[in-house]
Amino acid sequence: MTIVLGAIADDFTGATDLANNLVRGGMRCVQTIGIADAPLSPQEIEALENVDAIVVALKSRSCPAGEAVADSMAALDWLQARGARQIFFKYCSTFDSTDAGNIGPVSDALLDRLGGSRTVMVPAFPVNGRTVYQGHLFVGDRLLNDSGMQDHPLNPMRDADLVWVLSRQTPHRVGLAARPVLDRGAESVHRHLDALAEQGVRHVICDTLDEHDLEVLAEAVVDFPLVTGGSGLGQALPGQYRRRGWLADVAQPGRLEPAVGGALVLSGSCSRATLGQVAHFLRRHPGFALDPLALAETDDHLGKALAFARCHLADGGPVLVYASADPERVRAAQAALGVERAGRLVEEALGQLARILVDEGVGRLVVAGGESSGAVVSALGVRQLRIGEQIDPGVPWTQAPLPGRASPLSLALKSGNFGGEDFFTRAFEVLPMEASS
Ligand code: ADP
């Protein structure tokens, strides 16, 4: 079984966002967490059968450029070994990077390895308000450098002109495919890209105002060995693959196996959206509040959380264990323990609870919080996720094959601000269950 699209994403939630859009575009998709350094299990190998796209999630957005390049090359080799026709380098729709990289160096290294002479940069995600005009990136009605991104702690974006931004990250020439060219259709874009390539332009920033522009661009670049951009382009490409006959029509690309087992929510996110979701859940179902101060004092607190969850899981669940707290309580815990230790205590506790309770039969797990999800996924040894239908925009149900389990674990990983108020309850309502469960 060979895949059509192999994607390399520079962070975890960005990878999920792209994978989710590929499924919505009609592709069966698996997301991997990096490249496994130990051999895949039989369940993991089986889960890679009958997929059209694989998205490798790296942590290469803010690390040194050399490291980002090395990790991306390893991912490229792995995806090429699975026959990927096209490679997609996925970064954030706000082009998060610094003058040292990593978008330029990684794109250059991928092009060198693929033997290509040019590629496109399509960061725009119009439905989320990220558009590009005359090479300038807008977030809603603000230029990127006036959108709050100029103060980002890791990748401050102080220039909205992406041609200049990228020119500082690559020794090669950077060009522009501006709106008037897109207006004349895919053929015109194709000719423009060819003309730029003849002038020695290697990277082309593409204007994008709406979904139609994404369709035009996808049609123009479907034959490129490498494309780069945000997840918006990911939703437009599958239609082009189908037109080429590379992709069969699949009735339900996001179909997962029926879920089995108990229902648990673990929440380590303190975002406003998550606090609302916790309150909504607690009005309907039981929950246990984890307190970092108590976790620091005694093992007994974790033991109590475990006993509480077991008791309510035995009653049929769903049950919630949450460290989520309002800013005042978070500040108090951080003042007493230090920011790093408070976070680590919570993440370790969530990881331990997940490991023990999944071992005891939890089969449907929702985790709230980006870092919290990372801690739970690594405690469980999850290395790949089959992407299902989305619960709310950008957050799909997924299934992870785990060693020693007959059926995969159903997992929904929600970063902080995602999801409607009823996310925790609705997630379980929309997940199809095995008849006998
Ligand atoms: P989000 O996606 O909302 O940013 P994350 O899980 O990425 O959520 O980050 C939340 C961080 O806050 C985690 O490191 C978590 O361990 C920490 N945390 C959660 N609850 C508390 C709390 N009550 N006090 C202090 N830190 C907490």
Side-chain angles (χ1 to χ4, degrees):
M1 175 78 195
T2 58
I3 56 173
V4 180
L5 178 68
I8 301 165
D10 68 357
D11 90 334
F12 185 85
T13 47
T16 309
D17 207 16
L18 174 62
N20 186 51
N21 272 355
L22 293 173
V23 171
R24 285 158 58 76
M27 300 183 91
R28 297 164 298 176
C29 185
V30 163
Q31 175 179 342
T32 70
I33 297 156
I35 298 294
D37 46 14
L40 296 181
S41 69
Q43 293 96 327
E44 287 171 325
I45 291 170
E46 198 190 326
L48 290 174
E49 290 295 322
N50 301 317
V51 300
D52 307 304
I54 300 178
V55 182
V56 177
L58 299 178
K59 276 189 177 180
S60 56
R61 183 168 296 171
S62 311
C63 65
E67 210 176 290
V69 166
D71 290 351
S72 304
M73 290 300 107
L76 175 63
D77 289 345
W78 192 82
L79 290 166
Q80 283 195 301
R82 276 149 191 84
R85 277 174 183 264
Q86 186 166 52
I87 298 294
F88 188 137
F89 172 36
K90 157 77 174 70
Y91 39 78
C92 190
S93 59
T94 42
F95 216 74
D96 298 24
S97 51
T98 66
D99 287 353
N102 291 336
I103 296 175
V106 170
S107 301
D108 277 328
L110 291 170
L111 268 179
D112 287 344
R113 180 72 66 89
L114 288 164
S117 57
R118 42 83 181 272
T119 187
V120 288
M121 310 299 195
V122 188
F125 199 180
V127 286
N128 283 357
R130 271 64 157 184
T131 55
V132 178
Y133 184 65
Q134 295 296 347
H136 289 65
L137 181 53
F138 288 82
V139 178
D141 62 356
R142 314 308 302 165
L143 279 165
L144 178 65
N145 57 315
D146 188 27
S147 68
M149 280 301 295
Q150 69 273 26
D151 300 320
H152 190 283
L154 298 175
N155 325 292
M157 299 301 291
R158 301 201 172 105
D159 186 352
D161 183 340
L162 298 186
V163 174
W164 283 112
V165 171
L166 192 65
S167 294
R168 291 190 287 265
Q169 298 181 29
T170 172
H172 299 280
R173 286 185 62 192
V174 180
L176 173 67
R179 193 73 207 311
V181 180
L182 270 77
D183 258 350
R184 292 193 288 272
E187 194 46 42
S188 143
V189 174
H190 205 106
R191 276 198 303 275
H192 180 71
L193 295 175
D194 283 348
L196 287 176
E198 272 168 30
Q199 294 161 29
V201 171
R202 203 170 200 228
H203 305 282
V204 182
I205 303 289
C206 297
D207 276 6
T208 316
L209 295 190
D210 53 28
E211 305 299 303
H212 179 68
D213 288 346
L214 287 174
E215 299 291 335
V216 169
L217 288 167
E219 188 180 342
V221 302
V222 63
D223 288 312
F224 280 29
L226 175 71
V227 293
T228 86
S231 49
L233 183 63
Q235 205 169 329
L237 282 168
Q240 298 303 324
Y241 300 149
R242 259 193 304 278
R243 284 181 61 184
R244 283 278 194 282
W246 300 349
L247 186 64
D249 267 325
V250 177
Q252 286 179 287
R255 200 174 68 82
L256 299 176
E257 287 179 36
V260 292
L264 172 68
V265 183
L266 295 173
S267 179
S269 160
C270 300
S271 74
R272 198 178 296 169
T274 305
L275 295 178
Q277 289 154 356
V278 167
H280 181 274
F281 185 93
L282 291 175
R283 289 196 290 273
R284 288 156 185 83
H285 301 286
F288 183 96
L290 274 183
D291 175 2
L293 293 165
L295 284 171
E297 264 165 35
T298 151
D299 289 343
D300 195 39
H301 189 58
L302 187 61
K304 279 189 184 146
L306 199 51
F308 181 91
R310 279 179 178 139
C311 165
H312 291 284
L313 285 165
D315 289 344
V319 61
L320 164 70
V321 180
Y322 62 102
S324 315
D326 56 43
E328 205 174 313
R329 296 217 355 253
V330 172
R331 266 195 301 274
Q334 290 175 336
L337 301 166
V339 175
E340 203 267 333
R341 183 159 178 240
R344 187 161 36 83
L345 281 166
V346 168
E347 286 167 32
E348 281 173 7
L350 296 178
Q352 271 181 285
L353 288 166
R355 201 166 35 73
I356 296 168
L357 293 169
V358 166
D359 217 32
E360 292 177 2
V362 161
R364 296 169 288 154
L365 177 58
V366 173
V367 188
E371 293 300 322
S372 308
S373 293
V376 166
V377 156
S378 90
L380 290 171
V382 169
R383 300 192 295 185
Q384 65 187 42
L385 303 164
R386 172 80 189 230
I387 308 297
E389 300 290 339
Q390 70 174 17
I391 305 162
D392 270 336
V395 200
W397 267 113
T398 71
Q399 277 181 339
L402 286 181
R405 279 177 64 100
S407 31
L409 172 70
S410 296
L411 201 52
L413 305 170
K414 183 198 85 77
S415 64
N417 272 318
F418 282 65
E421 199 191 28
D422 61 349
F423 184 87
F424 292 160
T425 45
R426 205 157 39 75
F428 297 113
E429 289 161 16
V430 299
L431 180 67
M433 292 286 292
E434 197 157 82
S436 57
S437 304

